[in-house]
Amino acid sequence: MSGEFRVRELVLGIQGLALLRNAVDGDETFVRERVADIRRFALAEPGEEKLPDGGAAVSELDAAQGYAAWSAVYDSLPSSYIEVEEPVVAQILDGIAPGVALDAACGTGRQTRALLGRGHRVIGVDQSPQMLDKARAHAPRAELRAGHLERLPLDDDSVDLAICSLAMTHLPDLTPGVAELARVVRPGGRIVVTDMHPFVIALQGQCHFVSGSELAFVRNHVHLPSSYLAAFHAAGLRVRACHEPLFNGRLAPGGYEEVIADAARAAWDGLPIVVVWDVEVPAEPGER
């Protein structure tokens, strides 16, 4: 574990973001409530804030530790990120003919099931044995392999379609992961990459979850659209479309934002929380 954050400071930050976004045109009562809440949380003695874990430090887990812990509850918790991402991805996948598909960083098999349902033969890859165990239970017809985004256990030009959902954010550098997707997809094939929007990561930082009875997080890295475009260009890929679905009002259950729901919803209202890239491998090798 290499980092930590404190729930009270996160609460103060969300209150401040809500205040910042509403300071000019916001309702006067709402603005006064945010100022009062900031004062209350800032001046409260430890334990008085009635926050998750009493406002204590939240520990960072590496990807292996984090997803091992997260796997137990991953499928049972509603997620605004997934809820706004899935309709966009579904529309893209509906326009792609069945073939051999890769679900890179497949997790518990959410996209694997979507691909199987559309007639694809699916290979799922994930670094977490615990996530792969869940995926095997959910998608027994898929071929599941242990591996990392930066070193996919597939041959060159071996799949027609690759999808990677909400995982690239954990890589400090996009380039190796994008290059691997491009390597394994045949000329003329498609790649769909979804990620947490850089707005969210830049403003909030990390995506927390409940590990046992405590909060924890796996580190996210900010990848600006320009970084994605540079990685796609370096891999010889062509961008077809970029989608940015907006926050839908869903707050993470069991977390600190539920304690300050009005402020949290106002902080994220109208902001994109996910980015979805639809890219293709040029059909002619000379075009890459």
Side-chain angles (χ1 to χ4, degrees):
M1 294 182 289
S2 59
E4 65 180 26
F5 58 74
R6 292 185 176 273
V7 174
R8 186 178 75 159
E9 281 68 24
L10 280 171
V11 166
L12 286 169
I14 296 295
Q15 293 278 5
L17 179 57
L19 179 61
L20 177 66
R21 297 196 63 209
N22 287 272
V24 175
D25 298 318
D27 175 79
E28 185 62 29
T29 299
F30 177 86
V31 170
R32 287 200 301 269
E33 288 174 348
R34 299 290 70 75
V35 173
D37 277 351
I38 290 171
R39 183 179 294 112
R40 175 167 61 89
F41 283 112
L43 298 178
E45 294 295 326
E48 291 181 352
E49 312 99 322
K50 297 181 179 179
L51 296 173
D53 290 344
V58 179
S59 297
E60 178 180 0
L61 303 178
D62 64 26
Q65 294 171 309
Y67 279 96
W70 208 351
S71 65
V73 297
Y74 191 87
D75 291 322
S76 63
L77 299 178
S79 165
S80 59
Y81 302 102
I82 291 174
E83 288 174 351
V84 303
E85 177 232 47
E86 284 189 336
V88 179
V89 173
Q91 187 173 22
I92 296 171
L93 295 183
D94 285 345
I96 299 175
V100 181
L102 164 67
D103 185 2
C106 65
T108 62
R110 177 172 64 92
Q111 300 293 9
T112 298
R113 297 193 297 274
L115 292 165
L116 288 170
R118 289 170 170 81
H120 296 275
R121 181 169 74 84
V122 184
I123 302 168
V125 175
D126 202 278
Q127 67 168 335
S128 168
Q130 294 81 6
M131 285 286 193
L132 284 174
D133 285 344
K134 296 286 185 180
R136 288 189 183 96
H138 294 320
R141 292 190 292 120
E143 179 184 345
L144 300 174
R145 305 177 184 177
H148 293 258
L149 280 175
E150 309 97 312
R151 300 181 302 279
L152 291 171
L154 283 85
D155 293 334
D156 294 358
D157 302 337
S158 57
V159 300
D160 303 293
L161 164 68
I163 183 168
C164 180
S165 292
L166 305 176
M168 288 283 183
T169 183
H170 299 314
L171 300 181
D173 181 6
L174 289 170
T175 306
V178 170
E180 276 293 272
L181 295 178
R183 178 184 66 80
V184 303
V185 175
R186 299 182 181 113
R190 296 275 285 280
I191 298 173
V192 179
V193 177
T194 80
D195 216 345
M196 293 180 64
H197 201 282
F199 281 7
V200 173
I201 301 172
L203 290 170
Q204 185 181 19
Q206 311 310 322
C207 186
H208 74 278
F209 61 96
V210 178
S211 174
S213 59
E214 300 179 349
L215 293 175
F217 73 96
V218 177
R219 184 166 298 276
N220 298 319
H221 299 275
V222 177
H223 298 310
L224 298 176
S226 58
S227 298
Y228 259 111
L229 291 172
F232 293 146
H233 177 75
L237 301 173
R238 180 185 298 139
V239 176
R240 293 170 58 95
C242 176
H243 307 271
E244 298 173 291
L246 305 181
F247 174 60
N248 66 352
R250 170 85 71 178
L251 300 177
Y256 61 92
E257 288 189 327
E258 287 187 327
V259 179
I260 52 167
D262 289 347
R265 291 192 174 96
W268 305 119
D269 182 53
L271 292 183
I273 61 170
V274 169
V275 60
V276 180
W277 294 96
D278 178 7
V279 303
E280 62 185 358
V281 181
E284 298 297 328
E287 296 181 41
R288 297 185 68 172

